[in-house]
Amino acid sequence: MKASLTALMAATTLVLGLAPPATAEAGVRFSVPGRAKSTCADAPLTIRFPSPPTLDSSGAIEVRRADGTLADRIEAAAAKTDRKNIGAALSDTGLPHEFSYESIMIDGDTARVYPHRQFEYGQEYYVTVDPGVFTGFDGVQDPRAWRFTTKKHAPQGRRLTVSASGGGDFCTVQGAVDAVPTGNQTPVTIDVRPGVYTEIVYVREDRPHITVRGAGARRTTIQYANNDLRNGDKALSDGGPADVCPRRVLETSDLHNCWRASFGVDAADFRISDVMLRNTTPDGGSQAEAFRGNNERIVLERVDLRSHQDTLRLQGKGFVTDSRISGDTDFVWGTGTVFIQDSVLESTDSGYISQSRNDATRPGAVFVRTRLTRAAGVQDASVVLSRSAVWRFTHSQAVFIDTAMDAHVAPVGWQIDPNDCAQAQSASFWEYRSTDLSGGAIDTSGRLPCSRQLTAEEAKQWSEPSFVLGGWDPEPDHR
């Protein structure tokens, strides 16, 4: 049976046009995405074992050019908290920022190795693995055992493709983003084919006009367990005051929290559609955005955003449509002007749906025709529509228009700190024609006294994206 299975795998490999992976110890297989003679320059490396491996704490995986010169070295001891620059990230002071990430990740019987940088085009490489990187595995030192060659030329143009299996221009989303030239002024579309992409993605401010388009939220997933403990204020409190966020809005509280999103964008005119963005940080694992947008004219269409705390953070102006957002604590938040329509907001635990930190110069968060649902086990009256520290964010605004909500939304609706409406005279907690999930009108008589119900005329005005977004018409893609 084993021989037959080996023959079948080899035949399948040839049918797909892939190079058979090299083998060192019995049952251990090495591979790169696509063809070993022409793989992506941003390719992760894969080692498949007969049974789930265990990462040890000594030795290293080395990638060398054909002439023996070292291209990269991944230390087993540092693999869980390794560091690299992603997306040419620069702090507000011009200091290159290095993200903490996992350079060796194990999933079942497979170990994936994520190099510190992209390889060169048109270059042949070989990989060695020291004994001690994986418990009980003697490694491989033969330079003939695991070799691969990158594509001859860097892809260019206004349309780029990403495929985890190696069939596109790039194997990672970040690889495609990095191919967009700095100072870009023409629209570039990055088509991300079906698959799971486990990576932190960061788009620098000087790479505007990018569209990332997946194959559907059920088919394309971009995910990572990035969070405040790995890359935010808690992780970098002793990391040096010079390594601070670019485009800071709140000078004293935006020091390092820009780096903790699994997908972060500091560029304007950015669109993303038809993907699931998932921050895989477990519940209680600190603040962890699935998407963070910090510039003007950011659009999310038909996306599924999943995390627990701070799932979606938008600064500047943002528009979200036909999407799903899940979380429990402030899972729509930020200082930006945000218009969210025709979407589902799912509470996964008791908590707060939104937290707006806008100032007097701009509107806050407006929700139109949304459905507020809950996961199994979320209790009645355990969630509020929005909360605000009104002593600090005196002009916080959250508006819910034509919203259908389950009974997990508390009768009071809103929460302020301090709980004193006399100190919230400039805040705007507004609602219009709220219903239950069946469409029946709900009783809003118990709402926070300093909230109010809009008139029909007011609701009509605030239901227009261009009015809320200061004249910008985001023009959704209705494909």
Side-chain angles (χ1 to χ4, degrees), residues 293-338:
N294 183 32
N295 212 311
E296 301 300 304
R297 299 175 301 279
I298 291 177
V299 176
L300 297 91
E301 302 169 277
R302 299 179 299 279
V303 297
D304 188 344
L305 306 179
R306 299 191 183 189
S307 185
H308 291 280
Q309 185 171 356
D310 297 356
T311 307
L312 172 64
R313 180 186 186 186
L314 289 173
Q315 322 280 69
K317 292 178 183 175
F319 176 77
V320 183
T321 187
D322 300 292
S323 296
R324 182 183 186 89
I325 309 169
S326 299
D328 53 42
T329 303
D330 306 330
F331 59 98
V332 177
W333 81 290
T335 60
T337 298
V338 184

Side-chain angles (χ1 to χ4, degrees), residues 66-67 101 161 165 189 198 213 243 289 308 337 343 346 361 387 466:
D67 63 5
Y101 83 114
T161 58
S165 63
T189 298
T198 302
R213 181 179 295 158
D243 187 13
E289 287 86 353
H308 291 280
T337 298
S343 297
E346 180 193 44
T361 67
R387 68 167 174 169
S466 61

Side-chain angles (χ1 to χ4, degrees), residues 386-415:
S386 190
R387 68 167 174 169
S388 177
V390 292
W391 63 270
R392 182 182 182 193
F393 303 106
T394 57
H395 288 77
S396 293
Q397 181 183 46
V399 184
F400 287 80
I401 298 173
D402 290 328
T403 303
M405 56 188 72
D406 206 347
H408 65 302
V409 175
V412 70
W414 316 84
Q415 180 176 305

